[in-house]
Structure formats: C-alpha cells, structure tokens
Amino acid sequence: MTNMYVVSDKDKNGFIVDAAFPSQQAIDYIKNQGIKIKFIIQTHTHFDHVLGLSYLKNLYQVDVYASEDSREIANDKEYNLAFGYDIDVPIDKYLRDGQVFSDFKIMAIKTPGHTLDSMSYKINDIIFSGDTLFNMSIGRSDLKGGDYGQIIDSIKNKLGLFDKDSKILSGHGEATKLGFELANNPFLV
C-alpha cells in the first residue's frame, strides 16, 4: 500500500519516486511506454519505500538519490524498520536542502519529522511529499527519528511556502492539493 511513481517527459526520459516494490505492473508500464529510466529518488528510507530499490536500480542500471541525512541511517534496521527483511538501501548521490538537480530541474526539500531523512521533491506544480503530508493526514512521528513539532514545521514552513495549487503526491493514499491541506487537514488547522 505504498505509492511508487513513474515520471516521464515528452521524450520518454523518466525517473522513479520511491522504489517501494519491484512491481511487475510498473515494470510493464515503463516498458510498454518506452520510458528510459534515468534515476530513482527516495523520499526517505523506511523499508516500505525501499523494498524494490536494489532490484530496480540493477534492472535500469541507474543512480539512486536521497537526502544527505540518509547517509548514516539508510541501512540501520532499527531506523528503517526492516526487521525480518534482508534489504540493502544503495544510495549513490546525496542531496542538500534546496538543491535543484537533473534535467528535470527537481528541487529537493528537506522535510524532517516523519524521519530524519525525509525529503520532498518539487517538479513544476507537483510535490512528492513521501510520508510527510497526506490527504487529510500527516506521517507518523512516533517512530525512531520522528518528531511531531518538526513535521508540522516542515509542512507549514517548508512545503507551505509553495503555490497552494501545487498537487501533493504522497507516499500513501490519494493525491491532494497543498492549499486544501493547509486549510482543512485536522493536523494543520
């Protein structure tokens, strides 16, 4: 029940957001659409967002981007909750807050609170919020590395600065709009 996104441009160059699972449906979609995957970006490194990471990285022979805060914790099973799973979280490039990267001109936005390494990504009028902001909810802050005050600050004072018509694509659940969440989400009003 974790969202994984495939994004592509008119030239069929693309990338994956959160390699949650090596989904055959996603792999078939990429193949059938003729998308050339250029890289993978991770919103954070909890197990449910990285279960397919090694597989998809190897399948497409691409680099993985994540927050610079992932460096020390990505493979810590206590942190990433991977108890019972034998997973590797291979990260090639670490991103700073506000860094704009790739030909897609993606902005990396540190949004800690759900995890220490939570990062949202803005491309045009879309924000991939991971487990920071959901439709009428927010990410859990009671797990290792979580902080309730920090997640609220990340939403209001980081994401909240962007255009209120920005579409929010989260790590779980349905899409929403930033302005709607700021005005109606019970955790934010």
Side-chain angles (χ1 to χ4, degrees):
M1 300 305 291
T2 302
N3 294 335
M4 180 173 89
Y5 299 96
V6 176
V7 180
S8 63
D9 63 16
K10 61 180 175 44
D11 296 323
K12 300 293 186 178
N13 293 310
F15 60 93
I16 294 170
V17 179
D18 283 344
F21 194 75
S23 160
Q24 192 60 50
Q25 180 182 5
I27 293 166
D28 290 346
Y29 173 80
I30 291 166
K31 181 180 178 183
N32 293 338
Q33 295 298 313
I35 298 170
K36 299 174 288 277
I37 297 298
K38 299 296 185 181
F39 54 89
I40 298 169
I41 55 178
Q42 292 296 138
T43 61
H44 63 296
T45 54
H46 273 170
F47 81 99
D48 58 330
H49 290 258
V50 299
L51 281 172
L53 185 56
S54 289
Y55 180 83
L56 293 170
K57 173 184 172 44
N58 291 331
L59 178 66
Y60 297 113
Q61 294 293 297
V62 294
D63 286 338
V64 174
Y65 292 78
S67 170
E68 63 188 350
D69 298 318
S70 301
R71 191 180 308 268
E72 302 297 323
I73 58 177
N75 284 294
D76 177 342
K77 289 194 185 320
E78 277 188 45
Y79 166 75
N80 66 24
L81 310 174
F83 306 112
Y85 293 96
D86 184 24
I87 61 171
D88 178 41
V89 184
I91 299 169
D92 302 293
K93 299 187 179 184
Y94 295 95
L95 301 167
R96 299 177 318 277
D97 188 35
Q99 183 174 346
V100 176
F101 65 101
S102 86
D103 292 339
F104 290 91
K105 296 184 173 52
I106 302 166
M107 178 187 287
I109 309 154
K110 283 190 183 186
T111 50
H114 173 61
T115 64
L116 296 171
D117 66 342
S118 288
M119 185 163 269
S120 297
Y121 298 97
K122 183 176 185 313
I123 178 170
N124 300 323
D125 63 346
I126 296 172
I127 298 172
F128 296 95
S129 65
D131 286 4
T132 297
L133 178 60
F134 300 125
N135 186 341
M136 295 299 284
S137 191
I138 62 172
R140 291 180 63 174
S141 59
D142 61 328
L143 302 169
K144 187 172 183 174
D147 182 292
Y148 182 78
Q150 202 171 40
I151 198 169
I152 297 300
D153 183 67
S154 289
I155 296 166
K156 288 184 175 181
N157 298 314
K158 297 290 282 291
L159 299 181
L161 300 178
F162 294 107
D163 187 309
K164 302 311 178 257
D165 286 330
S166 296
K167 186 174 188 177
I168 300 293
L169 298 178
S170 64
H172 305 274
E174 300 295 319
T176 188
K177 294 278 187 161
L178 179 60
F180 174 83
E181 294 306 319
L182 293 172
N184 298 287
N185 189 310
F187 293 93
L188 304 175
V189 294

